[in-house]
Every structure is written in structure tokens, then in C-alpha cells.
Amino acid sequence: MNPAFELKNVSKKFKRSNGGWSNALSGVSFKIQSGEFLAIIGPSGAGKTTLMRLLNLTLRPSEGEILLEGQNPLNLNASSLRKLRTKTGSIYQQFDIVPSIRVIHNILSGKLPSWSFLKSFLSLIYPIDITSVARVAEKVGILECLWEKTSKLSGGEQQRVAIARTLIQNPSHILADEPVASVDPSRADSILILLKKLSEENKTTLVVNIHDIALALKFFPRIIGIRNGKIEFDLNSKEITKEILQKLYEGDKEFQYESLNKLKNI
Ligand SMILES: Nc1ncnc2c1ncn2[C@@H]1O[C@H](COP(=O)(O)OP(=O)(O)OP(=O)(O)O)[C@@H](O)[C@H]1O
Ligand SMILES: [Mg+2]
């Protein structure tokens, strides 16, 4: 079987406003198998979000190749590309949901990429496919909030809305960029437990950018460390040591080194 994702010597450059270039990623190669759980860690500006956006095909590599289930998206026509894109569901730190509308409409918006214009338009007037919405809302534990205005929900509940919106798309792969960074630390565990449980049930690939190392080590068997746009390590979480983490975050002003002493089992 083809890997879910394969990166071959991928680089991504961005043009800066002063005319120079920033090398967000350089020479990155690795594979992610379908159904794998993987966390990506590294200092601020290392290239983690850029990597996510390359994986979900919102960015194109400047050099190298990305294959999704063995296919190069650059070789596909518009309709095959659309189909390939809907295989991946993305969850962002800021949830990316519309606060002023009801929860049910936010969840349904996950269906938009696969619906015709007319169906999408009608769903704004009256939500169609309520059964699917109820099914995913129940799975993430927000069934009773369906008709609430989304802004009335807590941070953790809003993140669950974002997860439900991804689930309704029935993705084969879930990418989450700092999914717990905007929720109360005490709720972060339950969001990750939920994401993992749902991914196990549906045999979904789960790739998460996460700045909390303790959570990365607790929930993910494979950890990739990125620094200055390059892969520093790609290891089983059991192989990670304090020295490896210190090297990864060396010079990062925001990193709290004393947090390494609190880590268990390393
Ligand atoms: N659209 C863009 N235009 C110019 N530079 C960009 C753009 N997007 C990212 N970069 C640069 O690429 C580098 C990597 O950014 P990226 O957002 O991928 O880092 P990150 O690892 O996600 O950081 P953080 O942990 O702070 O979220 C940074 O130097 C950033 O300034
Ligand atoms: Mg980021």
C-alpha cells in the first residue's frame, strides 16, 4: 500500500517583504503510513505550520515532491485534485470556525467541499443532513449544543466543533496544527484523547503539530523534531531524551528548559 504522505527532498521558500527569501523548509524527506499517529515538534519558526500546509495541499513545494496516497497532486486534473484534497481534514489552533453562526452550520460547512453550489446554498437556509451532524456531534460530545450560537461555547467546546466539522468530511487523514494551544491546559488532554480515540476507531492517520512536549510524548508513538526548516530527528517517542530535546530547542527564547525536568520517563 502507498504511504498516506511521502515527502521527497521538499523545500519551501517564501519571499519576504524586503525582497529577500526565507527558507521555511529545506530538503525534507519522510513517509507517513496510513493510520499512523505522529507528532511534529520544534521551536517557533521551525517550519511546522508550513509543513502542515504542504501536507494538506494549501501550499506547493518550491522544490521536491509530495505524494498523497502515491499521487502527485500537481499531475491531477481539477476534479481528481478536489477528491484527493477532501481525503485530508485539517484542524487549526484558532479553530477556524465562524463564531456568529449556530454550531450545526459550522459542522455542516465541513461538507461544503464535496457539495454542489445549490446544496451548499440550501444548507445555509435550512441545515440538511442533520443525521450526519448529530452523529459526529455526539461523537465529540456536543450534541446538546447543536443549535447554540457558536460564540457562546467554551474554548474546548469550540475546538470540538472544529473536530466535528472535520469528521463529517469523513477524512482518511487528519492534520492538526496546535489543536490544544488555545484551550485551557486542563482540557488539552481530553481533546487529544478524543482525537486519538476517533482516529483509532476510523483508522485515520493523525499528524499533529504540538508545542507541549509532555503531551507529544504521552500521546504519539512517533515524533519528528524540526529545527530551522530541517528534520533534526525522526524517532520513536521512547527514544527521546532530554539531551535530544535540549538540542532541538537550543537558543529558543520562549522555550522553558525547566519544563524538561518535569517530564516523566525520559
Ligand atoms: N506566508 C509567508 N510569507 C513569508 N514567510 C513565511 C510565510 N509563512 C511562513 N513564513 C516563514 O517561514 C518560517 C517557518 O514558519 P512556520 O509558520 O512554518 O513556523 P512554525 O514552526 O509553525 O512556528 P510556530 O511554532 O511559531 O507556529 C518562519 O520563518 C516564517 O516567518
Ligand atoms: Mg505554527
Side-chain angles (χ1 to χ4, degrees), residues 15-183:
K15 194 155 194 183
R16 290 191 194 280
S17 42
N18 65 8
W21 290 89
S22 93
N23 292 312
L25 287 175
S26 14
V28 172
S29 301
F30 64 90
K31 291 180 190 173
I32 305 172
Q33 301 301 335
S34 275
E36 229 189 314
F37 291 171
L38 160 70
I40 296 167
I41 61 172
S44 182
K48 304 178 298 293
T49 297
T50 305
L51 181 58
M52 277 292 162
R53 294 175 65 208
L54 286 163
L55 293 174
N56 70 13
L57 310 182
T58 49
L59 285 177
R60 281 183 184 195
S62 311
E63 282 163 48
E65 200 178 36
I66 296 184
L67 304 181
L68 182 43
E69 298 188 355
Q71 292 179 286
N72 184 337
L74 297 177
N75 298 338
L76 299 178
N77 62 28
S79 96
S80 310
L81 179 60
R82 210 165 80 144
K83 229 184 243 165
L84 192 65
R85 271 215 171 103
T86 59
K87 292 204 166 188
T88 304
S90 301
I91 298 167
Y92 299 97
Q93 177 180 351
Q94 274 79 22
F95 321 144
D96 230 17
I97 48 181
V98 186
S100 57
I101 62 174
R102 292 182 201 277
V103 168
I104 190 165
H105 284 112
N106 264 310
I107 298 178
L108 266 178
S109 72
K111 284 264 190 186
L112 293 181
S114 56
W115 276 357
S116 68
F117 175 73
L118 182 64
K119 200 165 177 186
S120 310
F121 179 71
L122 288 176
S123 82
L124 290 175
I125 302 165
Y126 189 78
I128 24 189
D129 204 359
I130 292 181
T131 329
S132 307
V133 179
R135 180 178 55 84
V136 293
E138 185 167 22
K139 280 195 170 190
V140 303
I142 49 161
L143 188 56
E144 65 289 357
C145 311
L146 270 191
W147 296 93
E148 288 290 343
K149 198 168 151 184
T150 312
S151 57
K152 290 194 180 158
L153 271 57
S154 72
E157 285 166 342
Q158 291 193 26
Q159 189 56 301
R160 284 162 194 266
V161 175
I163 295 171
R165 183 194 48 194
T166 303
L167 286 183
I168 205 170
Q169 191 187 322
N170 233 344
S172 309
H173 320 293
I174 294 180
L175 306 177
D177 192 6
E178 305 283 2
V180 293
S182 305
V183 305

